[in-house]
Amino acid sequence: MLPLAALGLFYGGWFVVLLPLYGWWLFTLLDAVFGVNVNNADPDTPESALFWHRLITMIWPPLQFGLIFGSIWWVTRSGQLGWIELSVLFFGIGSASGTVGIVYGHELMHQKNHLERRLADLLLAMVLYSHFRSEHLLVHHRHVGTPADAVTARYNEGFHHYFWRVLFECPRSAWRAEVAMLARRGRGAFHPNNPFWRYAVLQLAMLGLAWLVGGGLGLALFGWQALVAVWQLELTNYVEHYGLTREHLGEGRYEHVKPHHSWNAAHTASNWLLINLQRHSDHHYKPDRRFPLLQNWGHDDAPQLPFGYPLMATVAMVPPLWRRRMNPRVRAWRKRYYPHISDWSAYKAASNPKPRGSV
């Protein structure tokens, strides 16, 4: 991605489309060539044997920092790119900070050591979406498939409605989850340990740096790439759990999260790009399992997507096409796993009671 961004920066013209085409279309073509990979690494592989895999995720934050702010510095001084070229180029940069940056940030935030979690904070601050860490760890993983989880896309909910809904709901639920955790420790909402202080400082620092490097144009370009990255993240969230709900057992109790509560894709190339994020059932089964060790769950255990995430995200942008592709799969999933449920109206409307203990 970095060489493609450099070509767009220095030469403009049609070179600016190479970066988004690379992330969105090349890997879909490679999926068609390489097919699926259902092989699993030994999940008991010691962490010492994963040094190079870990390094991949840890070297990206400074590279992304250089990509974003170096690009802003160059284009605001060279003056050689027009508005269309700038829009397309920074769309591509947002594709990089979303496809790689947020996915790597997701991997890093799930680890237990301080350094990797701070690197995740830096990556998320570069796309102005720092609350994602709190929302993902404290809300999504606990309440996926229930009305308490905003990012579980509802059956028949189009992506465009979903996107604006989660933009408003997720920061609020992340804040409430952090405040509830502080309250359990006898601390107030604005205690220094609330990570939202850190989120605010980091995001303001990124905005300030964009202004210092590129002025008003730099700030606008930074905001544009951040919006593109967040759009890609929420497209992925939409695809991962669309229409999949956990059974309500009564009085705010829900069944445990199981492999069949996530859509999976075993497509080889897109799993290279997304460091096995498409092995999503196993990620929910073992959230801190590092990406090279995530296990493939097959057709017998979990629902499968017909294509990898890049192509499915494209389909999701066209709601009628998405519903035609996915609604029959959701209905088949219901018949297979929940033949005893005859009325799905409360699940479709997310009107079942929220889980006990949710905020």
Side-chain angles (χ1 to χ4, degrees):
M1 287 188 169
L2 298 180
L4 295 178
L7 287 173
L9 284 167
F10 294 125
Y11 296 105
W14 289 105
F15 285 102
V16 299
V17 306
L18 293 178
L19 185 52
L21 286 177
Y22 173 81
W24 278 84
W25 294 110
L26 176 62
F27 280 87
T28 295
L29 294 175
L30 291 176
D31 276 341
V33 173
F34 291 107
V36 299
N37 175 20
V38 297
N39 298 321
N40 290 320
D42 180 359
D44 296 321
T45 301
E47 190 155 301
S48 59
L50 303 176
F51 172 78
W52 295 106
H53 296 86
R54 293 180 60 199
L55 187 62
I56 288 171
T57 59
M58 295 174 70
I59 64 174
W60 180 253
L63 293 176
Q64 179 171 302
F65 185 90
L67 171 63
I68 294 173
F69 292 102
S71 298
I72 291 173
W73 181 88
W74 174 259
V75 300
T76 54
R77 282 159 179 78
S78 67
Q80 67 187 50
L81 300 183
W83 280 103
I84 295 177
E85 292 168 304
L86 286 173
S87 298
V88 176
L89 176 64
F90 276 81
F91 178 92
I93 291 172
S95 297
S97 54
T99 302
V100 180
I102 296 181
V103 171
Y104 285 19
H106 169 260
E107 170 76 8
L108 292 165
M109 75 170 70
H110 273 286
Q111 308 313 317
K112 297 178 181 178
N113 69 79
H114 184 80
L115 173 60
E116 287 178 292
R117 289 196 166 206
R118 288 297 173 265
L119 290 174
D121 285 338
L122 287 174
L123 286 170
L124 295 177
M126 281 185 244
V127 294
L128 305 178
Y129 221 56
S130 296
H131 70 272
F132 173 60
R133 173 178 155 176
S134 295
E135 187 278 331
H136 186 78
L137 298 178
L138 302 182
V139 182
H140 176 63
H141 271 273
R142 294 180 184 180
H143 303 305
V144 62
T146 75
D149 179 41
V151 299
T152 297
R154 303 162 187 171
Y155 180 78
N156 250 1
E157 182 179 26
F159 171 73
H160 306 287
H161 176 271
Y162 167 90
F163 182 56
W164 293 109
R165 180 173 64 78
V166 297
L167 283 184
F168 288 99
E169 290 185 15
C170 287
R172 293 201 295 260
S173 63
W175 170 264
R176 291 195 299 266
E178 291 289 0
V179 169
M181 181 178 289
L182 288 168
R184 289 193 290 271
R185 298 172 181 171
R187 296 167 178 170
F190 297 99
H191 190 274
N193 283 2
N194 190 329
F196 272 78
W197 288 112
R198 182 170 66 252
Y199 300 163
V201 169
L202 286 172
Q203 291 183 164
L204 287 172
M206 296 297 173
L207 290 168
L209 184 57
W211 176 268
L212 287 174
V213 171
L217 176 58
L219 194 62
L221 293 173
F222 178 83
W224 172 232
Q225 70 80 30
L227 177 61
V228 171
V230 169
W231 166 69
Q232 288 199 171
L233 164 66
E234 297 304 352
L235 264 173
T236 302
N237 280 334
Y238 178 83
V239 169
E240 286 171 342
H241 301 282
Y242 173 79
L244 306 183
T245 50
R246 287 155 60 189
E247 183 178 4
H248 180 229
L249 304 177
E251 299 179 348
R253 294 178 299 110
Y254 286 83
E255 63 175 319
H256 292 298
V257 179
K258 298 176 182 177
H260 64 259
H261 292 124
S262 301
W263 291 102
N264 293 264
H267 300 80
T268 301
S270 48
N271 267 319
W272 292 339
L273 176 67
L274 300 171
I275 57 172
N276 282 340
L277 183 66
Q278 299 175 144
R279 295 185 167 194
H280 209 61
S281 288
D282 199 56
H283 172 63
H284 275 272
Y285 173 63
K286 289 285 186 180
D288 60 349
R289 180 174 281 168
R290 292 194 181 272
F291 75 89
L293 306 184
L294 287 171
Q295 305 292 290
N296 180 72
W297 293 82
H299 290 272
D300 293 337
D301 301 300
Q304 305 294 313
L305 294 169
F307 308 106
Y309 281 9
L311 183 53
M312 293 307 298
T314 303
V315 174
M317 289 297 296
V318 187
L321 182 59
W322 173 264
R323 287 192 288 268
R324 192 175 306 127
R325 269 284 180 180
M326 292 303 297
N327 283 8
R329 286 176 165 82
V330 174
R331 292 193 294 268
W333 174 88
R334 290 172 175 175
K335 290 179 181 178
R336 177 175 183 179
Y337 293 103
Y338 303 100
H340 54 285
I341 299 179
S342 58
D343 183 4
W344 286 93
S345 57
Y347 292 91
K348 289 191 289 186
S351 59
N352 279 323
K354 286 190 175 182
R356 292 186 298 186
S358 62
V359 294

